[in-house]
Amino acid sequence: MAHRSRLAGFIIDCETGEIDQAAEFWSRALGLARVEQAYDGDGAQYAPLAEGPAGLNIEVQMVDHPSRVHLDIESDDIDAEAARLEALGATRIGFVKRWWVMQAPTGHRFCIVRMKHPERDPAPNLWD
């Protein structure tokens, strides 16, 4: 099934007790302002930063696993994108709330999320 996808951005997973301190550090480290206060979404805490280079979404997320950075790929059909990436060697780890957690053959974890603004540049890739 034809679908579209592209790199959405980076999520900075922090296994710390204080999201505001974590967000303040990453805001200053990356030179990206905080655009709003931390919020809860689907049982997780997030602190968004200003839009990154090339329109990338960058957020700090509180997690209960070791701290790491993971990327998000956005798609207008997350199941088709998961299948496409499985054909390349990725593995589905699990469906969480409304996105797929995947693992690349290299061991890196990433997520496939729903596309928010398909009309924005850069244009998404079109896959058959």
Side-chain angles (χ1 to χ4, degrees):
M1 173 179 210
H3 71 281
R4 299 175 297 169
S5 70
R6 65 179 167 208
L7 177 63
F10 298 91
I11 307 300
I12 303 167
D13 295 336
C14 297
E15 186 186 29
T16 64
E18 181 53 53
I19 192 166
D20 287 323
Q21 289 175 343
E24 183 64 22
F25 171 80
W26 285 108
S27 169
R28 289 178 170 208
L30 298 173
L32 299 172
R34 292 190 56 189
V35 294
E36 58 187 69
Q37 293 299 315
Y39 68 93
D40 292 327
D42 295 326
Q45 254 193 328
Y46 300 91
L49 303 180
E51 191 172 276
L56 293 175
N57 177 59
I58 301 173
E59 295 186 23
V60 175
Q61 175 184 8
M62 300 310 296
V63 297
D64 59 7
H65 57 71
S67 295
R68 61 182 175 224
V69 175
H70 76 265
L71 61 88
D72 282 354
I73 295 172
E74 64 179 2
S75 178
D76 57 4
D77 185 335
I78 64 171
D79 292 325
E81 182 66 358
R84 182 184 78 82
L85 295 168
E86 281 179 315
L88 297 175
T91 304
R92 291 184 207 218
I93 300 301
F95 190 80
V96 179
K97 297 172 180 86
R98 61 184 184 282
W99 61 84
W100 279 109
V101 176
M102 305 287 290
Q103 183 166 307
T106 57
H108 296 91
R109 297 270 173 110
F110 62 96
C111 295
I112 303 171
V113 301
R114 298 212 182 280
M115 190 172 287
K116 291 181 183 174
H117 300 285
E119 72 284 355
R120 288 188 185 173
D121 285 331
N125 296 301
L126 179 60
W127 310 103
D128 289 326

